Amino acid sequence: MVRFWHPVADMHAVSATGELVLDRAEGVHVWDESGKRYLDATAALWYCNVGYGRPEIADAAAAQLRRLPAYSHYGDLSSRPTTDLAERIAQIAPMDDAVVFFTSGGGEAVETAVKLVRRYWSLRGEPRRTIVVSRERAYHGLAGYGTSIVGTDTFTVGLGPLAGDTLRVPWDDADALAAAIDEAGPERVAAFFCEPIVGAGGVLLPPPGYLEAARRVCRERGVLFVADEVICGFGRVGDWFASTRFGLDPDLVTFAKGVTSGYLPLGGVIAGARVREPFWAEGAGIWAHGYTYSGHATATAAAHANLDILERESLPARAAALEAELAKALEPLASHPLVSEVRAGLGVVAAVQILPEALADDPSVTGRVVLAARERGILTRGLGGGGLQVSPALVIDEAALGELVEGLRGALDDVA
Ligand code: PLP
């Protein structure tokens, strides 16, 4: 009997086949309890940017656990690693004069950002600006507001009414975004939420000029631009943030995952001066929002050690250098009979798309390729739209990249 109710799982299937219990990890490899080794093609859920087995992160966390594991950060209370991490993130943030609100992960970051943009407009004297626009195929986590702005029905089936005043637009068309905002009335629209790369929805890379144009559309209409960089942030797309790489100057950035490389759960929202100002103004009063673990001191201590590694090993630059290598390594898979295309070329994020005709015949085909890959010692997973996720740690070397591509090819062959 499986007692662990897994997230995003078919528990009937898990109960029937059993769990794959992972035991340890080093670099880009993970071992299960039987001792079988896997190449981690996805850096778990896109998060282990620095790779596994980094003793300095473990040491930093252990030292902080002994000193002060955590304490409430409500009101004026803080802890040294958390106060310093906010300063450090502000230094690399894609906007000037930034401040940081911490959460325990990406879902809470999105939750915070939606509340933030609505309250922002209320404080600004425009309380009718409550509509939040997001993109079809977008993923923004599975908390209440994140579920309400998700771009895929899979996550909303059977839930009844979700948060109101949300609007979906095509994922790749800035003119459609402009038209949707104009139709709703810009005076009703609070913000546009945008993953620079649509991640869980399929690794959809932004068409050339799209992000810049979408940013312009928002600026021209006074609509806040929120970059959801939960996947992209902290090096994965060849810069500290996709927003820095594309010069987006967002109003808010949501982050998680790569900030600690997943060694401990941490996320947050970076706010630029425009959004911060009415909250921090005299007379604004308490913003009654936050979490028990907002800025958890052990998690922020781990984040410092993780950022030390990202900086010392220049991993954002390494990701930029890797993007062409990754695309080149995966390119031959595009001609496999079971594959329609490979999407790659922006950072260390890619998808191998299973042929739509094959998926139409048998929607389980992606899952079968994932299992075949597992047999061959490669851990990957299916994305929205039936692609295979490829987002290894930023430290992956040529040999491991070869191992990854050969394993995927073999798995595709097995199923074809
Ligand atoms: N936003 C994006 C773009 C994500 O990819 C994710 C998770 O994958 C989230 C938000 C939610 O983060 P979490 O799973 O930490 O709640």
Side-chain angles (χ1 to χ4, degrees):
M1 174 76 194
V2 176
R3 293 278 171 206
F4 170 29
W5 192 333
H6 291 234
V8 190
D10 172 348
M11 285 311 297
H12 180 79
V14 174
S15 300
T17 58
E19 301 162 295
L20 174 65
V21 183
L22 300 173
D23 180 44
R24 66 191 177 91
E26 184 67 36
V28 295
H29 290 99
V30 181
W31 284 259
D32 70 18
E33 280 187 326
S34 76
K36 181 174 160 85
R37 189 183 87 151
Y38 305 87
L39 185 121
D40 177 13
T42 59
L45 284 175
W46 332 76
Y47 58 67
C48 196
N49 290 3
V50 300
Y52 303 100
R54 297 287 198 161
E56 68 194 272
I57 304 182
D59 291 346
Q64 189 62 40
L65 281 171
R66 289 198 184 89
R67 191 179 185 92
L68 172 74
Y71 200 83
S72 163
H73 288 146
Y74 280 29
D76 65 347
L77 297 167
S78 190
S79 53
R80 182 48 55 197
T82 301
T83 283
D84 289 353
L85 186 65
E87 180 63 42
R88 193 168 179 179
I89 291 174
Q91 295 306 320
I92 55 170
M95 60 277 243
D96 294 335
D97 201 11
V99 294
V100 183
F101 191 104
F102 287 111
T103 66
S104 304
E108 282 183 1
V110 169
E111 201 76 358
T112 298
V114 173
K115 290 168 82 170
L116 222 161
V117 298
R118 288 186 169 179
R119 184 156 169 93
Y120 167 82
W121 287 112
S122 168
L123 289 170
R124 279 271 182 235
E126 294 192 52
R128 293 183 66 244
R129 282 211 193 233
T130 48
I131 295 176
V132 174
V133 184
S134 58
R135 295 150 85 195
E136 288 162 6
R137 301 193 62 176
Y139 183 77
H140 296 292
L142 300 177
Y145 281 122
T147 306
S148 302
I149 65 171
V150 74
T152 316
D153 295 343
T154 328
F155 300 104
T156 58
V157 176
L159 297 183
L162 297 161
D165 281 358
T166 69
L167 203 60
R168 229 70 74 233
V169 295
W171 71 271
D172 56 351
D173 184 348
D175 291 336
L177 170 65
I181 294 174
D182 291 342
E183 194 185 328
E187 74 287 352
R188 291 279 290 109
V189 180
F192 173 53
F193 277 62
C194 178
E195 294 166 275
I197 296 174
V198 172
V203 180
L204 309 177
L205 307 181
Y210 169 80
L211 291 172
E212 298 85 340
R215 180 68 188 101
R216 209 162 40 243
V217 163
C218 291
R219 190 173 280 120
E220 284 165 4
R221 289 157 180 79
V223 169
L224 295 173
F225 184 92
V226 183
D228 185 348
E229 300 230 23
V230 166
I231 288 173
C232 294
F234 299 96
R236 184 152 291 280
V237 290
D239 205 331
W240 282 106
F241 297 92
S243 294
T244 5
R245 180 155 177 177
F246 289 94
L248 299 180
D249 191 20
D251 294 298
L252 295 176
V253 170
T254 49
F255 68 90
K257 301 188 189 280
V259 67
T260 57
S261 290
Y263 279 69
L264 283 170
L266 183 69
V269 181
I270 311 173
R274 173 184 176 191
V275 177
R276 180 199 70 217
E277 200 273 323
F279 287 86
W280 294 39
E282 192 177 355
I286 291 174
W287 184 35
H289 172 74
Y291 302 99
T292 295
Y293 300 127
S294 283
H296 190 284
T298 303
T300 53
H304 280 289
N306 175 63
L307 295 185
D308 289 345
I309 295 169
L310 285 166
E311 280 172 14
R312 192 176 65 234
E313 299 181 9
S314 302
L315 292 181
R318 181 171 164 70
L322 261 174
E323 74 186 21
E325 273 180 59
L326 178 66
K328 189 162 160 250
L330 291 172
E331 211 253 340
L333 296 183
S335 53
H336 191 279
L338 208 52
V339 173
S340 60
E341 64 170 354
V342 167
R343 292 185 288 277
L346 179 54
V348 187
V349 191
V352 177
Q353 181 62 49
I354 302 295
L355 209 62
E357 293 80 359
L359 286 165
D361 280 352
D362 175 8
S364 76
V365 64
T366 304
R368 289 195 287 124
V369 177
V370 167
L371 284 179
R374 196 185 275 189
E375 281 293 306
R376 289 173 171 272
I378 307 291
L379 283 184
T380 180
R381 66 177 199 129
L383 294 163
L388 300 168
Q389 180 177 336
V390 181
S391 57
L394 310 183
V395 294
I396 192 165
D397 62 14
E398 207 183 323
L401 203 51
E403 186 185 335
L404 192 166
V405 174
E406 280 323 299
L408 288 184
R409 187 202 310 281
L412 289 162
D413 288 346
D414 293 344
V415 173

